[in-house]
Amino acid sequence: MSAPTPLLDFFKKGEVARDVRLLAAQGGLATRAHEQLAILVLLVDDADPEIRGIAGSTLDRIPIESLRKFLARSDVSVGLREFFADRGLFPDEIPAIEAEEPLVDSPEAAEEFDENEDRDTAVQRIARMGFTERLKAAVKGTREMRALLIRDPNKMIAAAVLSSPKLSEPEVEGIARMTNVSDEVLRIIGNNRAWTKNYGVLLGLVKNPKTPLAMSMNMMARLNDRDITQLSVDRNVPEPLRVAARKKVVSSTSGRS
């Protein structure tokens, strides 16, 4: 699976309040298709009978043809295919286009987010929101909202931003450079191969002092010589990383002499 599933991880750990599980069961957490489907499948076995029933009904609302095409994708897990096979649904011969749009949304999802909304307006709107509203805004909101909510002190809100199908690669690159996000946000980005194929994301993580040191040290090997040289004198990065970069510069210089 190419995309991260940070929200799914909260559900798996049992760290999600009932109102949020109910929202997800209704399809209201319109995350990327992979994550949305995995959360719904998980909620079909929820301890709460109402949530189990609603999750099952939401799965039934997904158009069969769309689901069959999705299941034919090469990045769909065996577990998901087996779950639907038990329900008599099998992959199509032709897979769906590798898109990240959610497969279903809640019938009540009528709230609109204006992408032209300025930062001040976004700040004011978020300040009036409760937890569930912020969670929905993190997934469905505007770019300005995501830039604000990625720094939310609640880890689940920040994780929801990374689960948004609207999140673009340039946004991920910007987040990778932020020093006011949690190290968990940076860890999620760093563990995603698709995102770290982008050199800007990779460089942003390595130069970010909040990135877990072991991750930065490992990623440094993928930087070009110019950036490693700059890293070797960068006082904003942890000392062990700067020392390692300096050693690499010395080794590279001596190797050419």
Side-chain angles (χ1 to χ4, degrees), residues 217-235:
M217 296 282 276
N218 184 50
M219 290 178 168
M220 185 187 68
R222 295 167 56 190
L223 297 184
N224 61 40
D225 290 346
R226 184 191 66 182
D227 287 324
I228 289 177
T229 299
Q230 291 179 352
L231 195 67
S232 70
V233 293
D234 189 343
R235 293 285 173 183

Side-chain angles (χ1 to χ4, degrees), residues 98-160:
E98 306 283 320
E100 300 292 358
E101 290 305 307
L103 292 169
V104 65
D105 206 342
S106 62
E108 298 80 16
E111 182 160 11
E112 294 294 326
F113 295 98
D114 182 4
E115 285 295 342
N116 295 317
E117 184 177 84
D118 61 34
R119 186 179 182 84
D120 289 342
T121 305
V123 169
Q124 291 167 11
R125 284 189 68 183
I126 289 171
R128 295 193 299 267
M129 290 178 180
F131 176 80
T132 306
E133 288 73 28
R134 297 206 317 282
L135 194 63
K136 285 193 286 187
V139 178
K140 301 180 182 182
T142 65
R143 184 182 180 121
E144 288 289 356
M145 286 180 168
R146 290 192 293 277
L148 294 164
L149 292 171
I150 194 67
R151 294 174 284 172
D152 196 284
N154 187 293
K155 290 182 179 180
M156 192 172 181
I157 300 291

Side-chain angles (χ1 to χ4, degrees), residues 51-65:
I51 290 174
R52 288 201 303 271
I54 292 173
S57 298
T58 300
L59 285 174
D60 291 338
R61 283 199 290 112
I62 301 174
I64 291 176
E65 198 53 40

Side-chain angles (χ1 to χ4, degrees), residues 41 44 55-61 67 81-90:
V41 167
V44 167
S57 298
T58 300
L59 285 174
D60 291 338
R61 283 199 290 112
L67 192 51
R81 287 203 184 102
E82 288 177 346
F83 173 86
F84 287 102
D86 289 342
R87 296 165 71 102
L89 268 172
F90 300 92

Side-chain angles (χ1 to χ4, degrees), residues 19-248:
D19 60 336
V20 177
R21 300 203 317 278
L22 190 59
L23 176 69
Q26 294 164 344
L29 280 185
T31 58
R32 296 183 188 89
H34 268 112
E35 189 166 25
Q36 183 185 52
L37 207 53
I39 289 172
L40 284 169
V41 167
L42 197 66
L43 292 176
V44 167
D45 290 326
D46 195 89
D48 187 311
E50 184 184 3
I51 290 174
R52 288 201 303 271
I54 292 173
S57 298
T58 300
L59 285 174
D60 291 338
R61 283 199 290 112
I62 301 174
I64 291 176
E65 198 53 40
S66 298
L67 192 51
R68 290 183 66 231
K69 286 184 179 297
F70 178 81
L71 292 173
R73 287 170 50 159
S74 60
D75 52 355
V76 171
S77 70
V78 173
L80 268 182
R81 287 203 184 102
E82 288 177 346
F83 173 86
F84 287 102
D86 289 342
R87 296 165 71 102
L89 268 172
F90 300 92
D92 201 342
E93 292 182 5
I94 302 172
I97 297 170
E98 306 283 320
E100 300 292 358
E101 290 305 307
L103 292 169
V104 65
D105 206 342
S106 62
E108 298 80 16
E111 182 160 11
E112 294 294 326
F113 295 98
D114 182 4
E115 285 295 342
N116 295 317
E117 184 177 84
D118 61 34
R119 186 179 182 84
D120 289 342
T121 305
V123 169
Q124 291 167 11
R125 284 189 68 183
I126 289 171
R128 295 193 299 267
M129 290 178 180
F131 176 80
T132 306
E133 288 73 28
R134 297 206 317 282
L135 194 63
K136 285 193 286 187
V139 178
K140 301 180 182 182
T142 65
R143 184 182 180 121
E144 288 289 356
M145 286 180 168
R146 290 192 293 277
L148 294 164
L149 292 171
I150 194 67
R151 294 174 284 172
D152 196 284
N154 187 293
K155 290 182 179 180
M156 192 172 181
I157 300 291
V161 173
L162 299 179
S163 290
S164 173
K166 298 174 73 175
L167 185 69
S168 67
E169 207 161 81
E171 285 179 85
V172 177
E173 191 173 332
I175 294 167
R177 294 194 298 266
M178 288 183 181
T179 56
N180 55 355
V181 296
S182 73
D183 56 353
E184 183 58 28
V185 164
L186 299 173
R187 186 179 286 108
I188 291 169
I189 294 173
N191 284 328
N192 181 250
R193 292 180 184 177
W195 284 342
T196 55
K197 283 180 181 177
N198 178 318
Y199 189 81
V201 172
L202 185 76
L203 181 61
L205 287 172
V206 175
K207 294 180 72 175
N208 193 328
K210 289 285 290 292
T211 301
L213 182 58
M215 181 173 279
S216 299
M217 296 282 276
N218 184 50
M219 290 178 168
M220 185 187 68
R222 295 167 56 190
L223 297 184
N224 61 40
D225 290 346
R226 184 191 66 182
D227 287 324
I228 289 177
T229 299
Q230 291 179 352
L231 195 67
S232 70
V233 293
D234 189 343
R235 293 285 173 183
N236 293 317
V237 302
E239 178 68 15
L241 184 63
R242 191 165 66 248
V243 170
R246 196 178 304 136
K247 287 180 179 177
K248 197 168 178 62

